[in-house]
Amino acid sequence: MKKYILDFRISENTKLHDNYALLKLTPADGRPLPEMLPGQFVEVRVDRSPSTFLRRPISINFVDCLRNELWLLVRKAGEGTRTLCSLSTGEIVNLVLPLGNTFTLPEKTDEKILLVGGGVGIAPLLYWGKYLKEKGYTPQFLLGFRTDKDLLQYEQFKQLGPVYISTEDGSLGEKGFVTQHSVLEQQFERLYVCGPKPMMVAVARYARKRNSSCEVSLENTMACGVGACLCCVEDTVEGHVCVCKEGPIFNIERLKWQI
């Protein structure tokens, strides 16, 4: 798939709460968005941040073709992402896109599918859920957060399929981690997961016990996005690979996790 280095204009910056911002961007020159697939990511140049030298990898959260908008869900984690969250409408950001691979479509439209996300790990699952629904599948979602105040994009997910919520303190949905949610008592043929590594490992362990296919979206540090810097290397059954080029989507059977 062809890669681009393009300027985008911020059409909207919505503060979801103290730690998250939803950036909606459109090509600055008015051209149509390039083709992008669920699970792929962009590398964002961070201007006005003297200590931020490298681009920041951000998952593609959603693509709105009617509005010609790309959505990026950004969590404040350091100076670079704090700068991105503070951008104003009309400002320009430079992106390299689209990078990485995509999720694997289920073989049959009647397969039971569960998309599992934790925290900002829900980001790539929204676009994937939309893509699945448009292809005739019926996705279900299991989203985990620390508290009800950390809930993200619930209304958008609800438009795509059933949504189950878990919070660590029990303030919304079922109390506990996503792996403790009662929906997992059902049998799912396929699971797609993104979130903190301990959560993904736990879901992968569950999938193996149930003989379910499972793909995870890794969040290794991806400084360049093209496999040059070797920051994102992951050990797999085939040897060491760069997540930014070989992933970020991996079937758990390729990973050497202790599961």
Side-chain angles (χ1 to χ4, degrees):
M1 183 178 289
K2 187 176 180 179
K3 308 294 188 289
Y4 300 83
I5 302 176
L6 298 175
D7 285 336
F8 280 72
R9 190 181 308 279
I10 304 291
S11 56
E12 186 178 327
N13 180 355
T14 303
K15 180 180 177 182
L16 300 185
H17 60 63
D18 290 343
N19 295 320
Y20 293 92
L22 178 62
L23 301 181
K24 297 183 180 182
L25 308 97
T26 190
D29 60 5
R31 72 172 69 192
L33 288 170
E35 180 186 5
M36 290 172 273
L37 297 173
Q40 293 185 309
F41 66 99
V42 305
E43 288 276 357
V44 187
R45 190 180 70 206
V46 184
D47 300 323
R48 297 192 294 103
S49 179
S51 64
T52 306
F53 302 104
L54 300 172
R55 291 175 181 261
R56 291 297 183 261
I58 307 290
S59 295
I60 293 171
N61 177 226
F62 194 76
V63 175
D64 187 336
C65 294
L66 292 178
R67 297 175 61 87
N68 204 37
E69 283 184 341
L70 164 66
W71 295 12
L72 302 179
L73 180 62
V74 183
R75 178 175 67 90
K76 296 179 185 177
E79 183 175 342
T81 47
R82 282 197 297 270
T83 299
L84 293 178
C85 288
S86 69
L87 293 173
S88 301
T89 300
E91 289 195 74
I92 301 295
V93 291
N94 184 268
L95 309 183
V96 180
L97 79 165
L99 299 169
N101 63 351
T102 186
F103 297 101
T104 303
L105 274 172
E107 295 178 1
K108 302 176 182 178
T109 56
D110 60 354
E111 289 185 31
K112 287 194 68 173
I113 306 165
L114 186 66
L115 282 59
V116 186
V120 75
I122 71 166
L125 302 182
L126 184 64
Y127 186 31
W128 181 225
K130 172 180 179 284
Y131 193 90
L132 286 168
K133 185 174 181 180
E134 290 177 346
K135 295 289 184 181
Y137 299 89
T138 306
Q140 299 185 58
F141 303 91
L142 173 56
L143 310 179
F145 305 96
R146 290 184 178 179
T147 74
D148 60 343
K149 295 180 177 61
D150 299 309
L151 183 68
L152 297 167
Q153 298 189 306
Y154 175 72
E155 293 301 323
Q156 287 84 3
F157 278 104
K158 195 169 64 172
Q159 295 174 19
L160 303 173
V163 181
Y164 306 93
I165 301 293
S166 69
T167 51
E168 294 179 24
D169 66 353
S171 54
L172 185 67
E174 295 188 14
K175 183 176 181 179
F177 301 117
V178 291
T179 48
Q180 299 170 315
H181 199 285
S182 61
V183 72
L184 292 178
E185 295 172 5
Q186 303 177 34
Q187 178 66 36
F188 291 93
E189 281 84 7
R190 292 181 186 263
L191 295 99
Y192 302 93
V193 192
C194 187
K197 186 173 180 179
M199 184 208 82
M200 292 195 291
V201 171
V203 177
R205 185 181 298 117
Y206 161 87
R208 279 196 165 173
K209 288 180 179 178
R210 294 295 189 102
N211 293 315
S212 302
S213 173
C214 181
E215 290 185 345
V216 296
S217 177
L218 299 189
E219 296 184 320
N220 298 31
T221 301
M222 295 179 279
C224 71
V226 294
C229 69
L230 305 182
C231 289
C232 63
V233 168
E234 180 76 21
D235 192 13
T236 73
V237 296
E238 301 133 10
H240 290 86
V241 301
C242 290
V243 170
C244 66
K245 287 193 70 178
E246 295 289 327
I249 312 303
F250 289 85
N251 190 291
I252 60 170
E253 299 303 322
R254 293 186 63 193
L255 301 174
K256 294 177 71 173
W257 290 352
Q258 298 299 310
I259 57 176

